[in-house]
């Protein structure tokens, strides 16, 4: 309280605004008239136990009473809160009336027209889907409305598709439902995961959880499509989907995966091993009728030696970065030179005959660019020379920096 006089003036003002006499106020507070008179004249303060009763009688807040002034902002906020609650109640009431009238009208119309309930269930499911966006958020706490709306809308959409499929006598429900869930999740699942109270183990792995959920939905969709078409391509689709998704998504997701403690420093090795395994598995499945292991396996292993060589040079060889990159470039030049020769031998072992077999002694002639065969050898020689030269420069820089240290 600022002082006794300001407190007394405020008390007197509020009492007169409410049309109360000192005696009436004293009776409501169970005190004497003289006590109220002393308060208003600034001669004494009321007992602290009477503050709540005084606020109730004078219709003011404790803050207003203690500061001896009206809390205009507080009253305005309270009025706005009451207005919002009233609007919210009216909003719900209007929706209850609209949904109820539409449901009752369609129910009676279906019974009158067909003497049984058929298309009414489609209308009911559609109403539920719309209500999940307009009415459901009113009953959900502030931070969970997005997830609740998404879950309600997705669930009602699946029900609507199921009802429509039964009504039309079709068999397209699994494809439609899984396709819808996959599309909705692809667009809105990241926003939903941000608002969900995930366990501590998943709270920092939302990207991995998102990709995992979408892959499960995609595989389920592929399985339904394979069954619907009576095909045998499901395994191929799953393996190559995992291979392609891993090639682009696995590097940023590896930090979120629960790898063993000893593997945290070997994420690149995990990535290459996973992709190599999927590639070989896919080739083995595609060539199960005779093309695997020859020529698919040797060709795949030949192609894999280039990235695996880079991994070994850059990640695990000793030396500075310059030295490791230089060794990787030198390895690239050697691979470009030797890989076509190895490929020719694989094709020859498979029964293929080449009209122009590859020769390790490149028939290059930098003075002759008119012959197509010599032109190809010239280009290949320059590429190999450029890779080896760049590697040599990196090695020289790395060794020079090492000597300076």
């Amino acid at each position: 309280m600022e002082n006794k006089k300001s407190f007394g003036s405020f008390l007197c003002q509020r009492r007169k605004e409410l049309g109360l006499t000192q005696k009436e106020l004293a009776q409501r507070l169970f005190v004497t008239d003289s006590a109220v008179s002393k308060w208003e004249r600034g001669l004494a303060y009321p007992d602290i136990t009477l503050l709540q009763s005084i606020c109730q009688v004078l219709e003011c807040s404790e803050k207003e009473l203690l500061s001896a002034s009206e809390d205009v902002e507080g009253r305005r906020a309270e009025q706005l809160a009451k207005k919002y609650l009233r609007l919210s109640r009216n909003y719900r009431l209007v929706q209850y009336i609209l949904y109820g009238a539409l449901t009752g009208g369609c129910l009676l119309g279906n019974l009158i027209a067909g003497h049984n309930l058929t298309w009414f269930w489609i209308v009911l499911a559609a109403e539920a889907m719309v209500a999940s966006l307009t009415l459901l958020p009113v009953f959900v706490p502030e931070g969970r409305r997005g997830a609740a709306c998404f879950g309600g809308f997705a669930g009602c959409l699946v029900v609507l598709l199921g009802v429509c499929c039964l009504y039309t006598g079709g068999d397209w429900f699994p494809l439609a439902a899984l396709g819808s869930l996959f599309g909705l999740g692809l667009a809105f699942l990241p926003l939903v995961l941000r608002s969900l109270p995930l366990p501590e183990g998943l709270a920092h792995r939302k990207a991995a959880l998102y990709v995992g959920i979408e892959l499960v939905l995609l595989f389920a969709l592929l399985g339904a499509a394979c069954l619907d078409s009576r095909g045998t391509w499901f395994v191929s689709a799953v393996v190559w989907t995992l291979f392609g998704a891993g090639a682009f998504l696995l590097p940023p997701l590896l930090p979120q995966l629960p790898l063993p403690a000893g593997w945290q420093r070997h994420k690149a090795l995990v990535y290459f091993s996973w992709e190599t395994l999927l590639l070989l598995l896919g080739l083995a499945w595609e060539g199960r009728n005779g093309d695997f292991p020859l020529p698919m396996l040797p060709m795949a292993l030949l192609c894999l030696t280039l990235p695996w060589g880079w991994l070994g040079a850059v990640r695990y060889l000793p030396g500075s970065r310059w030295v490791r990159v230089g060794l990787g470039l030198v390895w690239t030049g050697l691979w470009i030179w030797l890989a076509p020769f190895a490929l020719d031998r694989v094709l020859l072992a498979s029964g293929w005959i080449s009209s122009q077999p590859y020769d390790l002694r490149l028939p290059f002639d930098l003075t002759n660019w008119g012959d197509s065969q010599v032109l190809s050898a010239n280009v290949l020689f320059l590429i190999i020379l450029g890779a080896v030269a760049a590697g040599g420069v990196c090695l020289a820089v790395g060794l020079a920096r090492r000597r300076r240290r």
Side-chain angles (χ1 to χ4, degrees):
M1 304 178 191
E2 293 181 342
N3 52 60
K4 294 180 180 179
K5 288 189 177 296
S6 60
F7 175 78
S9 300
F10 178 77
L11 198 68
C12 181
Q13 178 185 350
R14 288 297 300 167
R15 176 180 61 79
K16 291 179 179 179
E17 288 176 356
L18 296 173
L20 298 174
T21 63
Q22 288 185 348
K23 184 177 181 180
E24 291 173 337
L25 178 60
Q27 289 176 348
R28 294 190 181 186
L29 297 175
F30 302 102
V31 296
T32 61
D33 301 354
S34 60
V36 175
S37 177
K38 289 180 180 180
W39 297 345
E40 293 185 353
R41 285 182 294 155
L43 300 178
Y45 284 132
D47 189 86
I48 193 170
T49 58
L50 295 174
L51 288 180
Q52 188 174 4
S53 301
I54 294 174
C55 292
Q56 291 177 352
V57 174
L58 297 182
E59 299 179 3
C60 65
S61 65
E62 293 183 1
K63 179 181 178 181
E64 291 176 324
L65 183 63
L66 294 175
S67 62
S69 62
E70 290 189 5
D71 186 7
V72 179
E73 294 296 329
R75 289 179 179 271
R76 184 178 300 171
E78 185 178 356
Q79 291 174 356
L80 289 175
K82 291 180 179 178
K83 184 178 180 181
Y84 172 78
L85 292 176
R86 185 169 59 253
L87 289 175
S88 179
R89 286 194 297 268
N90 293 338
Y91 176 75
R92 291 198 301 269
L93 181 61
V94 169
Q95 290 202 72
Y96 292 152
I97 294 174
L98 289 176
Y99 288 131
L102 181 59
T103 302
C106 292
L107 176 66
L108 292 176
N110 195 189
L111 288 174
I112 293 173
H115 304 290
N116 59 357
L117 296 179
T118 53
W119 53 264
F120 165 76
W121 302 111
I122 299 177
V123 176
L124 186 62
E127 281 188 50
M129 187 174 68
V130 176
S132 66
L133 299 177
T134 60
L135 189 58
L136 182 60
V138 180
F139 301 97
V140 180
E142 184 70 28
R144 304 286 183 265
R145 289 179 181 173
C149 288
F150 175 80
F153 181 82
C156 292
L157 177 60
V158 171
V159 173
L160 177 61
L161 292 173
V163 172
C164 292
C165 186
L166 291 174
Y167 181 76
T168 58
D171 57 355
W172 45 264
F173 172 71
L175 285 173
L178 291 171
S180 300
L181 290 177
F182 176 76
L184 288 173
L186 200 65
F188 299 107
L189 191 56
L191 302 176
V192 173
L193 288 176
R194 291 175 59 184
S195 62
L196 286 178
L198 297 175
E200 186 176 355
L202 296 175
H204 303 291
R205 296 167 181 166
K206 294 176 182 176
L209 183 61
Y210 166 68
V211 173
I213 293 174
E214 286 300 297
L215 283 177
V216 170
L217 290 174
L218 178 59
F219 294 154
L221 178 60
L222 292 173
C226 187
L227 290 174
D228 184 67
S229 62
R230 297 180 181 178
T232 59
W233 47 265
F234 176 71
V235 176
S236 298
V238 170
V239 172
W240 294 120
T241 300
L242 285 174
F243 177 79
F248 292 99
L249 301 177
L250 193 56
L253 292 180
L254 273 174
Q256 297 188 10
L257 296 180
L259 297 175
W263 287 92
Q264 293 297 329
R265 297 178 60 255
H266 304 284
K267 296 185 180 71
L269 180 61
V270 173
Y271 169 72
F272 276 97
S273 300
W274 175 252
E275 289 299 296
T276 299
L277 177 63
L278 288 175
L279 177 61
L280 296 178
L281 182 62
L283 292 176
W285 178 261
E286 299 295 343
R288 65 190 183 277
N289 295 324
D291 293 334
F292 194 86
L294 198 68
M296 285 187 176
L297 180 58
M299 292 174 63
L301 294 177
L302 178 64
C303 294
L304 288 171
T305 52
L306 179 62
W308 273 100
W310 265 98
L311 174 65
V314 175
R315 186 66 183 86
Y316 294 103
L317 286 181
S320 65
R321 294 180 180 178
W322 285 98
V323 172
R324 287 179 283 172
V325 171
L327 291 174
L329 290 171
V330 172
W331 165 243
T332 301
L334 291 175
W335 187 88
I336 294 173
W337 177 42
L338 298 174
F341 178 77
L343 180 60
D344 266 2
R345 295 303 173 270
V346 171
L347 294 177
L348 286 174
S350 304
W352 296 27
I353 299 176
S354 175
S355 59
Q356 295 180 347
Y358 181 82
D359 190 358
L360 287 176
R361 297 171 299 179
L362 292 176
F364 66 92
D365 183 2
L366 299 181
T367 62
N368 181 9
W369 295 86
D371 189 346
S372 59
Q373 186 174 359
V374 176
L375 175 64
S376 301
N378 289 343
V379 172
L380 187 59
F381 172 75
L382 291 177
I383 292 175
I384 295 171
L385 182 63
V388 173
V393 171
C394 292
L395 286 172
V397 172
L399 293 175
R401 290 167 65 93
R402 182 178 180 182
R403 286 198 191 115
R404 261 182 280 173
R405 291 198 194 96

